[in-house]
């Protein structure tokens, strides 16, 4: 039997090459472990391959053949940014190969062509959206015009740092602490020279793009779907990013302490409710561009974000913050799955941007700020609230998949 197993023909080369390149491309652009493994399994079943997949945030194991004659490939992957347009193109390419419209050999070449496509949005547009995201977040967090301006300027500066360090791995790894230092320092200087403002709101809104709330939510979702190693790794990464941001904020906040004290005046008044609606629209546009969504999807993304945010606010008023997050995620998941079934497109197009308006990153940041101020009771209580919100979001998405099953895995 061992001799026969060693002489058995290997799996089809072009089909395996296509599957491996597709898995690598999907992982690079932000596909969670449970979705990646499910999609790869479905593609292999349609291509007549017997395969097994195991995905972690930094690697993919793929084995082909029967259990007694496996041929295993290890793909080392650096976690990348979410690119919604490329995810849609890769999903359409997988459909074309499965349905026989193109061969696996051509599909493998098309995967490389998709990865080689130039970015849809240039640096100027991305920097503009960094600034808009920070300013809109300041309004959604209850700040005023001063907080909006300071947060927008801080976020723009962080975007410039990200742009210059993106191609240098050694410097890109310190982006989070450097960004936190800049945001806290700008907020403290603005409070000193421009008059009283909510320093915490301005600091937090300036860091909104880097807060790992989405990573935390995906990690809880992976753990809930029994992808324990990948989920635990993401949880550890999210905790490390929170610690880096907290260290940077603690360091940057010391800048204002070396300046002479200024007379304390009244804090600015809260803006009228209509500005929150405008901020929500602007935030949806900025998130769509930062996640590299296609312009034709902007309207659906804005609608999904408004439904998620409105459902979460209504649920919070009626049921509390944790159950409110569950309501928002449930509405987002059901609406996204229904839209995906009608358009025959992946639901991730609207789920990921919509989650950005619900993720508990700000709660986790406040928890860390309380711990740095040695208020242990408040810090632990807020951290527990952050975990409850993340669990509520994951439960809402899983419940939505049960109520309205998606047609596609992505």
């Amino acid at each position: 039997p061992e001799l026969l197993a060693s002489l058995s023909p290997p799996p089809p080369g072009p089909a395996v090459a296509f599957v491996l390149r597709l898995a690598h491309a999907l992982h690079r652009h932000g596909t969670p472990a449970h979705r990646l493994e499910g999609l790869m399994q479905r593609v292999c079943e349609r291509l007549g391959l017997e395969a097994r997949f195991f995905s972690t945030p930094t690697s993919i194991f793929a084995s082909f053949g029967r259990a007694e004659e496996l041929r295993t490939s290890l793909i080392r992957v650096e976690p990348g940014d979410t690119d919604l347009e490329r995810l849609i193109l890769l999903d359409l390419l997988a459909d074309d190969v499965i349905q026989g419209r193109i061969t696996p050999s051509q599909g493998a070449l098309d995967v490389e062509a998709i990865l080689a496509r130039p970015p849809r949005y240039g640096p100027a547009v991305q920097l503009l959206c960094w600034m808009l995201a920070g300013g809109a977040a300041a309004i959604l967090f209850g700040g005023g015009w001063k907080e909006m301006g300071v947060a927008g300027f801080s976020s723009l500066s962080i975007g410039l740092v990200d742009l210059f360090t993106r191609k240098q791995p050694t410097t890109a790894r310190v982006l989070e602490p450097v960004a936190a230092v800049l945001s806290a320092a700008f907020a403290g200087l603005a409070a000193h020279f421009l008059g009283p403002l909510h320093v915490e709101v301005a600091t937090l809104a300036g860091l909104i793009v880097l807060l790992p709330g989405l990573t935390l939510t995906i990690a809880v979702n992976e753990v809930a779907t029994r992808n324990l190693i990948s989920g635990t790794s993401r949880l550890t990464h999210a905790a490390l990013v929170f610690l880096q941001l907290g260290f940077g904020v603690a360091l940057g906040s010391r800048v204002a302490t070396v300046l002479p004290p200024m007379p304390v005046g009244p804090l600015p008044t809260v803006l009228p409710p209509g500005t929150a609606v405008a901020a929500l629209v602007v935030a949806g546009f900025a998130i769509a561009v930062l996640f590299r969504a296609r312009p034709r999807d902007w309207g659906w993304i804005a609608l999904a974000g408004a439904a998620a945010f409105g459902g979460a606010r209504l649920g919070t008023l009626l049921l509390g913050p944790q159950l409110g997050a569950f309501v928002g995620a449930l509405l987002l998941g059901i609406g996204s799955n229904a839209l995906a079934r009608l358009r025959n497109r992946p639901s991730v197009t609207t789920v990921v941007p919509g989650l950005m308006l619900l993720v508990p990153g700000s709660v986790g940041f406040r928890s860390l700020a309380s711990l740095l101020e040695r208020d242990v009771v408040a810090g632990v209580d807020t951290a527990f609230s952050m975990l409850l919100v993340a669990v509520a979001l994951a439960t809402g998405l899983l419940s939505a998949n049960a109520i309205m099953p998606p047609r596609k895995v992505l």
Side-chain angles (χ1 to χ4, degrees):
E2 291 82 0
L3 180 60
L4 293 176
S6 63
L7 295 177
S8 60
V16 171
F18 168 71
V19 169
L20 292 177
R21 293 185 184 183
L22 179 63
H24 187 193
L26 290 171
H27 192 292
R28 279 182 55 185
H29 295 299
T31 306
H34 59 286
R35 292 184 181 271
L36 177 64
E37 293 177 4
L39 179 59
M40 289 297 96
Q41 199 67 43
R42 180 174 296 184
V43 170
C44 287
E45 290 174 357
R46 299 293 180 86
L47 293 178
L49 298 176
E50 185 177 355
R52 299 160 185 83
F53 295 90
F54 179 71
S55 175
T56 72
T58 57
S59 61
I60 304 172
F61 293 88
S63 296
F64 299 90
R66 293 180 296 178
E68 64 273 14
E69 52 182 18
L70 289 178
R71 290 167 172 82
T72 303
S73 296
L74 168 62
I75 305 174
R76 189 70 168 84
V77 185
E78 284 289 336
D81 298 328
T82 302
D83 192 318
L84 295 178
E85 181 177 16
R86 287 181 177 172
L87 288 178
I88 292 175
L89 294 176
L90 291 170
D91 182 77
L92 294 175
L93 176 61
D95 287 344
D96 290 339
V97 175
I98 287 173
Q99 297 175 12
R101 289 191 286 265
I102 62 175
T103 63
S105 300
Q106 183 61 42
L109 296 176
D110 289 346
V111 170
E112 299 299 328
I114 291 174
L115 295 179
R117 289 167 60 96
R120 176 178 286 273
Y121 307 106
V125 177
Q126 294 188 30
L127 290 175
L128 173 64
C129 290
W130 275 82
M131 182 178 65
L132 293 178
I139 295 178
L140 294 176
F141 290 156
W145 298 114
K146 290 183 180 179
E147 289 83 359
M148 182 188 71
V150 174
F153 179 77
S154 300
S155 188
L156 175 62
S157 302
I158 295 170
L160 284 171
V161 175
D162 175 65
L163 182 65
F164 288 127
T165 61
R166 186 171 297 173
K167 296 183 179 179
Q168 302 175 6
T170 55
T171 55
R173 292 190 178 98
V174 296
L175 173 63
E176 286 81 6
V178 171
V181 169
L182 291 176
S183 185
F186 288 152
L189 293 174
H192 182 82
F193 292 106
L194 302 180
L197 57 83
H198 297 276
V199 176
E200 182 182 358
V201 171
T203 303
L204 178 60
L207 294 171
I208 188 63
V209 179
L210 298 181
L211 290 178
L214 182 61
T215 302
L216 178 63
T217 304
I218 293 175
V220 173
N221 205 350
E222 288 179 339
V223 172
T225 54
R226 306 299 189 271
N227 291 274
L228 302 181
I229 294 180
S230 181
T232 305
S233 301
R234 290 188 195 273
L235 281 174
T236 305
H237 174 67
L240 178 61
V241 173
F242 275 125
L243 290 174
Q244 289 178 321
L245 293 176
F247 170 78
V249 168
L251 185 61
S253 61
R254 300 302 177 189
V255 173
T257 60
V258 302
L259 299 174
M262 297 290 291
V264 179
L267 291 174
T269 58
V270 179
L271 298 177
T275 56
V277 177
L280 186 61
V281 175
V282 173
F285 164 74
I287 291 172
V289 173
L290 292 176
F291 281 148
R292 300 171 180 86
R294 300 178 301 177
R296 71 184 71 173
D297 296 325
W298 288 356
W300 298 114
I301 291 174
L303 183 62
F309 189 81
R313 285 294 178 93
L314 181 61
T316 300
L317 294 176
L318 298 177
L319 305 173
Q322 287 78 27
L323 292 178
F326 169 78
V327 173
L330 181 65
L331 293 177
L332 174 64
I334 292 176
S336 297
N337 289 344
L339 180 63
R341 293 177 71 89
L342 291 174
R343 302 177 64 208
N344 194 27
R345 292 290 184 271
S347 61
V348 69
T349 306
T350 52
V351 168
V352 173
L355 276 179
M356 278 296 294
L357 299 174
L358 302 176
V359 292
S362 59
V363 183
F365 179 83
R366 291 191 177 99
S367 169
L368 190 58
S370 299
L371 292 175
L372 289 173
E373 294 174 0
R374 299 185 180 182
D375 191 352
V376 179
V377 175
V380 173
D381 180 69
T382 311
F384 187 68
S385 299
M386 174 190 66
L387 291 177
L388 285 179
V389 172
V391 171
L393 292 175
T395 306
L397 292 178
L398 294 176
S399 301
N401 291 336
I403 296 172
M404 177 66 68
R407 179 176 298 174
K408 292 178 174 290
V409 178
L410 284 183

